[in-house]
Amino acid sequence: MASALRRVFGRVIWSRCRVFPLSCSQQRSLTAGRGFLPRPWPLPFLFVTGGGYLGYQHYKRRSQEDDEAPPSLATPTQVALYHSFPTRLLSRAWGRLNGVELPTWLRKPIYSLYIWTFGVNMQEAAVEDLHHYRNLSEFFRRRLKPAARPLCASSCLISPADGRILHFGRVKNSEVEQVKGVTYSLENFLGPQNSRSKNSSLSFRDLLLSCPDNDLFHVVVYLAPGDYHCFHSPTEWKVELRRHFPGTLMSVNPGVARWVKELFCLNERVVLTGQWQHGFFSLTAVGATNVGSIRVYFDQELQTNSPCYSKGSFHDHSYVAVGDQVLKTTNEGGVVLQKGEAVGEFNLGSTIVLLFEAPKDFIFNLQPGQQIRVGEGLGSL
């Protein structure tokens, strides 16, 4: 393909040379196939980007149309077929493509297409010059200006990410709603707890509560491809355990979340659990198609989207046990995070799920489907 393009382009240039003669150096450059014709390798990427744009617009329309419609769940056969797609392999390939350094002349066209497609606000970026980002990965993980995300001082809990509120509310009967009308098991999502055998008579939800006068709440934030891809600490709390669930990497788009029951339990995810001022607290980063890479800044040992894994397995890493080997530990162990502190990042859009214990009079200041940004208040007491 490359040689054919060079021959066609060469004929056009040579025909023009009869009217506008070229210098000797220009002719040598043309003969070598360099100087006038850029390498055609970006063309497949442009086709992929165009396909991604059409798919994104389709999902966007479907999610908007279906917001008020009753959910129609996928059958086990449909889920199995979806699960059989090599999404993990595709995500690893996408990750490698993201790391390929782009020629300087190509960066602005590629990034501008992405900005236009997904509505990225580059005025918030710490570096607005598109030529600064050597590859797609650096562009996706761009940092924001210090004042771009002020923290809400009046709320005890702030949004950990930019995105859309899929669902929020109280956890009932140890079942959590991923979207309205579609639930998943709390125990399947978080995994077994060490104290379960000691209190087998309690439900999984009650097992997490430190005080009978408290309740368990949840909120789900969906990060679209055009959103800021880092996630932050929603409050001051202490992380005691990281639990990594290898799994599939299906899309977490709202349309798919309404279609696949227990989607968040099937996908790869990293669960951080610990304590805040009112008791149990957890932040879970859920992977998705092309988002196999989940990074937690204070945990260098975490490796996601590995080629092989056992279905239903998980890997625990205790921050209490490692002591001085983890940064910012307290005397009692654990990683202390401040409100608004950067915790980690995705390579593309995905989902953050918060599960937390709070007094029963905790009130969410949210609306289903609303757009939210890092630092904005989620609720208050």
Side-chain angles (χ1 to χ4, degrees), residues 68-119:
E68 300 300 327
S72 178
L73 296 178
T75 65
T77 301
Q78 290 174 322
V79 174
L81 287 174
Y82 191 6
H83 191 279
S84 68
F85 291 166
T87 53
R88 295 177 64 84
L89 178 62
L90 292 174
S91 297
R92 286 195 295 274
W94 176 252
R96 292 189 178 184
L97 177 63
N98 287 347
V100 175
E101 184 170 345
L102 297 175
T104 304
W105 61 269
L106 187 61
R107 295 173 187 176
K108 188 171 183 178
I110 292 294
Y111 300 149
S112 296
L113 176 62
Y114 188 91
I115 291 169
W116 174 78
T117 302
F118 298 111

Side-chain angles (χ1 to χ4, degrees), residues 13-314:
I13 295 297
W14 283 118
S15 63
R16 291 187 178 184
C17 288
R18 297 175 183 175
V19 181
F20 303 102
L22 301 177
S23 66
C24 293
S25 60
Q26 289 174 321
Q27 292 179 17
R28 285 195 299 271
S29 176
L30 183 61
T31 303
R34 298 186 300 269
F36 289 90
L37 181 64
R39 292 182 179 181
W41 67 266
L43 292 177
F45 174 80
L46 294 177
F47 284 117
V48 171
T49 306
Y53 170 69
L54 293 176
Y56 172 75
Q57 294 298 327
H58 170 72
Y59 274 125
K60 187 176 180 180
R61 288 193 298 269
R62 282 291 302 272
S63 62
Q64 290 174 347
E65 293 171 358
D66 294 345
D67 275 345
E68 300 300 327
S72 178
L73 296 178
T75 65
T77 301
Q78 290 174 322
V79 174
L81 287 174
Y82 191 6
H83 191 279
S84 68
F85 291 166
T87 53
R88 295 177 64 84
L89 178 62
L90 292 174
S91 297
R92 286 195 295 274
W94 176 252
R96 292 189 178 184
L97 177 63
N98 287 347
V100 175
E101 184 170 345
L102 297 175
T104 304
W105 61 269
L106 187 61
R107 295 173 187 176
K108 188 171 183 178
I110 292 294
Y111 300 149
S112 296
L113 176 62
Y114 188 91
I115 291 169
W116 174 78
T117 302
F118 298 111
V120 178
N121 183 5
M122 285 301 295
Q123 294 181 350
E124 298 178 332
V127 180
E128 298 184 35
D129 182 12
L130 298 180
H131 297 99
H132 169 80
Y133 304 100
R134 296 173 297 177
N135 52 49
L136 288 167
S137 180
E138 288 188 0
F139 177 72
F140 293 151
R141 297 179 290 107
R142 63 194 176 276
R143 296 294 184 266
L144 301 182
K145 295 174 181 176
R149 295 294 183 271
L151 306 183
C152 178
S154 61
S155 178
C156 61
L157 202 63
I158 61 172
S159 175
D162 286 12
R164 175 184 173 189
I165 300 295
L166 287 190
H167 207 271
F168 62 91
R170 300 174 189 266
V171 176
K172 300 178 181 178
N173 302 322
S174 299
E175 291 283 326
V176 187
E177 285 192 305
Q178 59 191 28
V179 293
K180 186 176 180 180
V182 182
T183 64
Y184 59 90
S185 165
L186 182 61
E187 184 170 7
N188 290 342
F189 183 70
L190 295 178
Q193 302 297 307
N194 294 331
S195 57
R196 179 67 174 169
S197 59
K198 300 178 183 179
N199 300 279
S200 57
S201 61
L202 297 176
S203 67
F204 190 86
R205 168 192 167 278
D206 294 337
L207 185 66
L208 299 176
L209 299 177
S210 61
C211 177
D213 294 329
N214 289 346
D215 214 336
L216 193 65
F217 299 84
H218 77 102
V219 60
V220 183
V221 183
Y222 167 70
L223 290 72
D227 289 324
Y228 169 57
H229 295 146
C230 295
F231 51 93
H232 295 243
S233 174
T235 189
E236 181 179 345
W237 65 301
K238 181 174 66 175
V239 186
E240 299 174 343
L241 177 71
R242 178 258 290 165
R243 177 166 286 174
H244 172 215
F245 291 85
T248 187
L249 290 172
M250 293 185 281
S251 171
V252 293
N253 181 279
V256 178
R258 292 174 59 85
W259 185 58
V260 179
K261 183 178 175 62
E262 297 218 346
L263 173 64
F264 297 159
C265 298
L266 297 173
N267 271 14
E268 180 161 12
R269 59 197 181 279
V270 176
V271 182
L272 302 178
T273 57
Q275 300 288 320
W276 75 315
Q277 59 178 327
H278 300 296
F280 174 82
F281 195 94
S282 75
L283 182 152
T284 301
V286 182
T289 306
N290 294 334
V291 198
S293 176
I294 302 172
R295 182 183 175 192
V296 175
Y297 296 140
F298 58 79
D299 191 339
Q300 301 302 317
E301 296 182 12
L302 175 63
Q303 297 292 331
T304 58
N305 197 13
S306 57
C308 300
Y309 74 97
S310 299
K311 184 178 179 180
S313 64
F314 60 86

